[in-house]
Each structure stands twice: as C-alpha cells, then as structure tokens.
C-alpha cells in the first residue's frame, strides 16, 4: 500500500523515526543498519517501506536500500518469524552478512542476533537457501575474505564503534588481511 516515503526527518528514537511528509507525520520502524545511515533531524530522507496490518496495529517499516526491504520480506515469509524478529535480524547483521551466512549455512552467525535461537536460525537457513545466498555468487576466496571482513566488522561493533565507522574502516583495509591483523589496522585507522 505505502511503498516509499520522502520527507523531513523530525525525530529519531531507535528503532522508530518520525517522518513529516507534507504535513503528515509517519511513525516508521527501521533496522539499525538504516538508522545509522539517516541524516540529521530536519534533513530530507527517502525510505522504501513495508506496511503491516494486524488485528491490533498498523505498522510501517522503513529501509534505506531495496536489498534490505527484500531481505525483510523474505524473512517475514518464514513461519515463526514476524516483523519484529526480521527487524532484529537486519539490525544485527547486514544483508550481505545474512546472505553469506545462508550460502555457507552458518547458523552460528545468525544465533548471535538477540532473540534468535538455534531452531529459528536453522529454519532461517533452510527457508532462505537459494533466495538470499544465490544473489551473492561469491567464489570461495571472496567468501573467505567476506568472512574475515564480517568478523572484523563484528569485532569493531562489539568494541563500541558504529556500523558506519566499522564499515568505513573495513574498506580501507588490504584485501588479503587476516582477522587479527585487520582488527589492529582498523583500530589504528579509527583512532586517528
């Protein structure tokens, strides 16, 4: 019903934002990956949306990118995974990380997301196989680098850096860097 919103960002209260679209204020729930990339309040923003109507509520979910929204839609199709859980998954890991975990069938990476248990993680891997992972088409070497990059980024986030800062530090690293060396180099870069 509502596919996209463009307006002025009025409030940011994670995970919800208030978006003014020509005098109408929309409360939109966003994953933290989108939240960290939002501009300052008072700035213009465009979000792709997914509208959920339940018996007791009508909720609008917003996403900064089309792959995020598509991953959200794939997640909520899975039995036992509602919009809140899907939002948690996308807040806990990027779409690329999720796709890599699905391709490699690594439930351990998904279990790290708060609110996701072992059974739910295994169901996610089973249901998403061929729907998310196939989009990546990573050869073995690139997948190994992606795993190292994902581990480095998770370590930086665990140390208190934002997803945005961690991703920026990750881009500056050499392609063939190992996890421990990558963390050291990223911390040096972030300390400047």
């Amino acid at each position: 019903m509502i596919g996209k919103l463009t307006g002025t960002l009025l409030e940011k209260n994670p995970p919800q934002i208030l978006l003014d679209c020509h005098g109408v204020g929309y409360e939109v729930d966003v994953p933290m990956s989108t939240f960290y990339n939002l501009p300052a309040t008072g700035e213009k923003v465009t979000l792709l949306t997914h509208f959920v109507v339940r018996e007791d509520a009508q909720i609008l979910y917003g996403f900064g990118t089309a792959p995020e929204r598509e991953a959200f839609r794939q997640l909520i199709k899975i039995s036992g995974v509602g919009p809140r859980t899907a939002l948690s998954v996308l807040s806990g890991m990027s779409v690329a990380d999720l796709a890599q975990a699905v391709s490699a069938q690594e439930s351990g990476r998904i279990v790290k997301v708060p609110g996701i248990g072992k059974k739910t993680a295994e169901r996610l891997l089973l249901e998403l196989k061929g729907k998310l992972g196939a989009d990546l088409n990573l050869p073995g070497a690139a997948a190994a680098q992606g795993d190292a990059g994902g581990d480095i980024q998770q370590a930086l986030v665990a140390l208190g850096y934002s997803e945005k800062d961690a991703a920026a530090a990750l881009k500056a690293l050499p392609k063939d860097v190992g996890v421990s060396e990558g963390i050291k180099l990223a911390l040096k870069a972030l300390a400047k």
Side-chain angles (χ1 to χ4, degrees), residues 7-102:
T8 306
L9 187 59
L10 295 181
E11 292 178 18
K12 295 184 347 182
N13 300 312
Q16 194 172 75
I17 63 168
L18 182 62
L19 195 61
D20 177 18
C21 300
H22 303 290
V24 179
Y26 290 94
E27 290 178 343
V28 184
D29 288 6
V30 297
M32 295 312 289
S33 52
T34 296
F35 189 86
Y36 290 134
N37 291 317
L38 289 172
T41 54
E43 300 279 323
K44 276 240 183 268
V45 68
T46 297
L47 293 175
L48 299 171
T49 60
H50 182 85
F51 189 53
V52 175
V53 178
R54 295 190 329 223
E55 188 176 305
D56 60 339
Q58 295 183 11
I59 306 167
L60 200 53
Y61 294 93
F63 307 93
T65 64
E68 269 185 340
R69 181 172 67 174
E70 184 53 35
F72 177 83
R73 288 177 171 170
Q74 290 295 334
L75 285 165
I76 62 173
K77 288 179 185 175
I78 298 168
S79 172
V81 177
R84 288 271 172 223
T85 305
L87 211 60
S88 289
V89 170
L90 292 175
S91 292
M93 60 195 320
S94 71
V95 175
D97 286 343
L98 179 60
Q100 284 177 344
V102 169

Side-chain angles (χ1 to χ4, degrees), residues 45-180:
V45 68
T46 297
L47 293 175
L48 299 171
T49 60
H50 182 85
F51 189 53
V52 175
V53 178
R54 295 190 329 223
E55 188 176 305
D56 60 339
Q58 295 183 11
I59 306 167
L60 200 53
Y61 294 93
F63 307 93
T65 64
E68 269 185 340
R69 181 172 67 174
E70 184 53 35
F72 177 83
R73 288 177 171 170
Q74 290 295 334
L75 285 165
I76 62 173
K77 288 179 185 175
I78 298 168
S79 172
V81 177
R84 288 271 172 223
T85 305
L87 211 60
S88 289
V89 170
L90 292 175
S91 292
M93 60 195 320
S94 71
V95 175
D97 286 343
L98 179 60
Q100 284 177 344
V102 169
S103 293
Q105 291 292 294
E106 294 178 34
S107 63
R109 290 172 72 178
I110 298 174
V111 171
K112 292 177 185 175
V113 175
I116 302 291
K118 188 166 177 57
K119 284 186 178 181
T120 305
E122 288 171 356
R123 191 174 328 121
L124 286 177
L125 292 177
L126 182 66
E127 296 273 343
L128 292 176
K129 190 172 187 173
K131 294 179 183 165
L132 277 182
D135 299 338
L136 235 54
N137 296 327
L138 290 173
Q145 166 58 23
D147 290 344
D151 290 343
I152 294 167
Q153 187 168 1
Q154 283 181 342
L156 294 173
V157 170
L159 291 170
Y161 291 99
S162 73
E163 289 271 349
K164 194 174 184 179
D165 291 341
L170 201 58
K171 287 179 185 171
L173 296 177
K175 293 280 183 222
D176 58 345
V177 71
V179 176
S180 60

